[in-house]
């Protein structure tokens, strides 16, 4: 019987590693190409930002959860939006039925956004918003309520995910064709570079690529290729690569294979630094890969759900040892429902125990110099570069997605993974091995079906009370800007301030760009 061992990406693992397996001594943390981290002292200087992804039901209900999380020690908010919000439909649209407030919060207008952040001073909190096709509208709403609060826009910090390419490849919440979507994204880059200088204008996401079934190597290769496409598009629009590079962030998945995940994060930093240098960046800060990590939702099991606490701990450990700047830990019950308050608190406490009790923050890159980790980092880097070069030869990410290459590769990896589980070649504790007859009674968080009615009533009231000629004029201005290549961000901000809804704004651009 073969004793061969491989990582989840199929990289063969030796029985033992020695100095002969390491190509050269790694550079120090904070030094190009940043394999060992982007700060020289890492968490000795400052812990990662502890975020907990939350959003459900109405804005008022989500606001209560945000205040709870802030009271428990969260130092960054992360907003989940429902599917209608993500794909540009108001809650009263026929296609919204059954989905309002289910997987995130329903946001139809600036009124909802005001409720969402009620009594939360936006100048003093960093906000991440997982939103893509309608990211420009949610950002416009956020800016509008910040202005109402009297906040200095130069001080606002946060991120919109805004990564549409991975939607075509892995997730599916796109609206417009790829080229039109890229135009919207470069409009955001351009506007934020002067009007919102501390805002991260895109979070280039490998998380959803991994959730769809990719390997660790594919996750970083596809994600960094997409990043390259965004930077090239921005350069073509005349945006300075050094300015843009400092406002890019990435979003990666943290899975169960501890050492492969740590090596993946280290390899990604090196590859991205080299890509940015190749694209003309001269400022080292513009070459740094900053990333948020989230523990793997697809690894959570309905069977024996308390086991997920151990899985999340391993994954969080990988993210921190890999040098993340920000982290969300999943609730143990998320294979069953949205997390209960208790599960969200346990998930946050997991991060706090790692930060304050484990000792892993006491030195930068504690696994740097490990024969195994350094060898694995090099192997992942080599395999990822091979995939990136294949995509480059196809004309880049947009072309490879249009040809279905990324989608096919992800589907094949997902199929192999599932076959390994079914054959018990891959053990999932409590699922295909170590099963239990005990029934676990886990409390489930449920969403009231009346949410759509509440949102519909709010929309009706808003449309009756707003200045309709002003709203109509804003939508007409938006159509003109979209048709004539004018940056849409100022007119979208004007539209939300005049109480145009998310669905109305999305529909104007559907008319101009079409749907994909």
């Amino acid at each position: 019987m073969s004793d061969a061992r491989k990582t989840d990406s199929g990289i063969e693992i030796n029985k033992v590693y020695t100095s002969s397996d390491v190509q050269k001594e790694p550079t120090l943390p904070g030094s190009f190409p940043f394999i060992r981290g982007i700060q020289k002292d890492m968490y000795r200087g400052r812990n990662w930002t502890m975020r907990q992804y939350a959003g459900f039901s109405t804005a008022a209900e989500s606001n209560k959860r945000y205040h709870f999380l802030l009271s428990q020690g969260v130092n960054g908010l992360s907003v989940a939006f429902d599917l209608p919000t993500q794909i540009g439909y108001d809650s009263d649209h026929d296609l919204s039925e059954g989905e309002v407030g289910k997987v995130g919060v329903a946001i139809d207008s600036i009124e909802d956004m005001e409720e969402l952040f009620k009594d939360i001073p936006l100048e003093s909190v960093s906000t991440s918003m997982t939103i893509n096709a309608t990211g420009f509208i949610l950002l416009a709403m956020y800016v509008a309520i910040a202005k109402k609060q009297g906040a200095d826009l130069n001080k606002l910090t946060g991120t919109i995910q805004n990564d549409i390419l991975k939607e075509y490849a892995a997730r599916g919440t796109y609206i417009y064709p790829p080229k039109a979507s890229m135009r919207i994204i470069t409009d955001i880059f351009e506007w934020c570079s002067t009007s919102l200088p501390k805002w991260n204008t895109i979070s280039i996401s490998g998380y959803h690529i991994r959730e769809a079934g990719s390997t660790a190597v594919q996750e970083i290769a596809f994600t960094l290729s997409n990043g390259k496409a965004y930077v090239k598009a921005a350069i073509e629009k005349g945006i300075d690569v050094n300015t843009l590079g400092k406002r890019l962030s990435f979003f990666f998945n943290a899975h169960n294979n501890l050492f492969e995940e740590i090596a993946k994060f280290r390899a990604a930093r090196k590859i991205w630094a080299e890509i940015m240098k190749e694209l003309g960046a001269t400022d080292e800060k513009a070459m740094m890969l900053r990333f948020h990590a989230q523990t793997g939702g697809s690894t959570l099991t309905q069977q024996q759900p308390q086991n997920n606490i151990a899985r999340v701990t391993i994954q969080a450990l990988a993210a921190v040892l890999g040098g993340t700047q920000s982290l969300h830990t999943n609730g143990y019950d998320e294979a069953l429902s949205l997390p209960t308050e208790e599960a969200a608190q346990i998930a946050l406490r997991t991060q706090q125990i790692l930060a304050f009790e484990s000792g892993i923050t006491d030195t930068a890159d504690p696994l740097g110099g490990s024969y195994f980790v350094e060898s694995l980092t090099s192997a992942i880097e080599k395999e990822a570069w091979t995939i990136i070069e294949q995509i480059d030869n196809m004309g880049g990410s947009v072309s490879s997605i249009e040809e279905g290459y990324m989608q096919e590769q992800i589907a094949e990896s997902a199929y192999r993974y599932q076959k390994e589980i079914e054959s018990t070649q891959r053990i999932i504790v409590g699922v295909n091995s170590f099963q239990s007859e005990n029934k676990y009674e886990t409390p489930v968080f449920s969403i009231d079906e009346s949410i759509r009615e509440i949102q519909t009533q709010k929309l009706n009231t808003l449309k009756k009370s707003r200045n309709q000629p002003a709203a109509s004029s804003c939508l007409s201005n938006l159509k003109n800007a979209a048709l004539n290549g004018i940056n849409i961000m100022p007119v979208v901000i004007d539209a939300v301030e005049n109480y145009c809804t998310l669905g109305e704004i999305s529909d104007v651009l559907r008319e101009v760009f079409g749907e994909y």
Side-chain angles (χ1 to χ4, degrees), residues 62-72 77 116-121:
S62 292
N63 177 264
K64 290 176 189 174
R65 178 64 66 89
Y66 296 157
H67 280 286
F68 168 75
L69 290 169
L70 288 166
S71 74
Q72 296 299 304
L77 296 177
L116 188 66
F117 292 101
K118 186 180 178 184
D119 298 326
I120 298 172

Side-chain angles (χ1 to χ4, degrees), residues 183-197:
R183 177 261 169 99
I184 293 170
I185 287 168
T186 54
D187 278 1
I188 295 167
F189 289 167
E190 185 178 56
W191 183 81
C192 288
S193 68
T194 55
S195 302
L196 214 63

Side-chain angles (χ1 to χ4, degrees), residues 186-307:
T186 54
D187 278 1
I188 295 167
F189 289 167
E190 185 178 56
W191 183 81
C192 288
S193 68
T194 55
S195 302
L196 214 63
K198 289 191 174 181
W199 193 267
N200 292 327
T201 47
I202 192 166
S203 175
I204 306 156
S205 176
Y207 183 84
H208 303 97
I209 289 170
R210 191 66 178 281
E211 289 291 283
S214 81
T215 65
V217 168
Q218 288 171 335
E219 179 190 353
I220 62 167
F222 294 159
T223 305
L224 300 183
S225 286
N226 289 347
K228 191 173 182 180
Y230 292 125
V231 174
K232 281 186 165 183
I235 291 169
E236 285 170 14
K237 194 150 184 170
I239 297 169
D240 178 59
V241 67
N242 286 315
T243 302
L244 176 70
K246 295 171 193 172
R247 298 270 59 90
L248 300 176
S249 69
F250 289 81
F251 174 24
F252 290 120
N253 207 308
H255 253 239
N256 284 334
N257 193 315
L258 181 69
F259 293 107
E260 182 173 45
E261 294 300 296
I262 295 164
K264 174 189 81 177
F265 298 131
R266 298 171 92 251
R269 273 194 294 272
K270 182 171 187 284
I271 295 168
W272 185 247
E274 291 172 357
I275 286 173
M276 286 299 282
K277 192 170 185 178
E278 180 188 314
L279 291 173
T282 53
D283 187 329
E284 285 204 347
K285 287 186 177 178
M287 304 177 202
M288 293 176 178
L289 183 147
R290 302 163 184 80
F291 74 97
H292 168 71
Q294 179 175 338
T295 56
S298 62
T299 68
L300 303 179
T301 65
Q302 293 183 351
Q303 300 92 332
Q304 301 177 28
Q306 285 81 359
N307 293 348

Side-chain angles (χ1 to χ4, degrees), residues 29 55 62 162-163 200 303 329 333 344 359 388 432 464 471 495-496 502:
S62 292
N162 198 27
D163 174 6
N200 292 327
Q303 300 92 332
T329 33
D333 55 358
I388 292 167
N432 61 3
K464 285 175 185 173
V496 300
L502 175 132

